[in-house]
Amino acid sequence: MKNTIVSSIPQDRLFTREQIDTLLFGVTGKTLGEVDRKGVIDEFVRTRPDRVVRGVSGDVIELSVLGCQRDSRPEPDIWVDEVKTELKTTGLVSSKDDKSEYQPKEPLTITGVSPDNLKTESFEDSRFYHKIEHILFVFYHYNLTRKVQNSGDYRGFPIVGHFFWNVSDEHLEQLRNDWLLVQDFVRKFEFTDEDERHKLKQNLLLIDYSSPQQPRFRFKRSFVSTIVDIFLKNRKLQS
């Protein structure tokens, strides 16, 4: 069954761990602008000059570094050694206490929340679960002291490194509990119910969600910090 599933995935999204490591170690230390051989950033600056495209860094890694074609399917982005893997590119800022260390800039968006689907699906069948089970993180240094003005500002962000993260049993149980709380919420209330939404957020441990108008599941910044700490410790051991 696995071979049948894998054979249906576009060939440009099938990788071995060795291939991924070779490609991403090869661009570590370079800026997003330096590795953007497909001109992804230039395209966004030209077509959307009045806005910041938040996904521009992910597109640079996916299209210019990994060589994938654009794909809007809801499944995880790539397969690594026949394991479906979500690709997440996210910014790190210098730690206030130690400029040589990093911390996450913001919460990490995982996937959109569809209240109608969420009411009836199980956690194990949810898009959220399939997005978090195996994640390939690519970190870049958000080295500006101001907000980005347009997508072109991403050119100067250097790539810090990459990290394969597999959700632990402990975190999976906590994430499941959070997800079930959100499911219970949407069965009873609307996201526009401010009082109930505030109560829900107080009870969530590892996740929250973005604006109530277009809610998206996110890892809390504190949880992303835990993942970044593991990445940094592994990097020191490798050094």
Side-chain angles (χ1 to χ4, degrees), residues 92 139 160-163 227-235:
L92 305 178
F139 299 110
V160 174
H162 68 283
F163 175 52
I227 297 170
V228 171
D229 286 345
I230 298 171
F231 158 69
L232 293 174
K233 289 176 182 177
N234 286 347
R235 191 173 69 162

Side-chain angles (χ1 to χ4, degrees), residues 158-221:
I159 297 168
V160 174
H162 68 283
F163 175 52
F164 282 94
W165 181 79
N166 301 315
V167 64
S168 67
D169 291 341
E170 179 185 1
H171 284 149
L172 184 60
E173 188 60 30
Q174 293 169 331
L175 289 163
R176 178 188 286 108
N177 290 338
D178 279 355
W179 186 90
L180 290 172
L181 286 174
V182 179
Q183 183 185 60
D184 186 61
F185 172 86
V186 300
R187 286 173 172 172
K188 298 175 180 177
F189 308 103
E190 300 291 334
F191 271 108
T192 52
D193 189 325
E194 187 173 350
D195 289 340
E196 294 299 332
R197 193 173 70 246
H198 180 68
K199 293 177 186 177
L200 170 65
K201 285 202 170 188
Q202 288 183 315
N203 291 324
L204 296 175
L205 184 62
L206 301 183
I207 67 173
D208 64 7
Y209 51 86
S210 53
S211 69
Q213 287 73 32
Q214 291 183 312
R216 299 182 68 82
F217 280 120
R218 305 186 303 184
F219 282 174
K220 288 186 175 183
R221 188 171 178 271

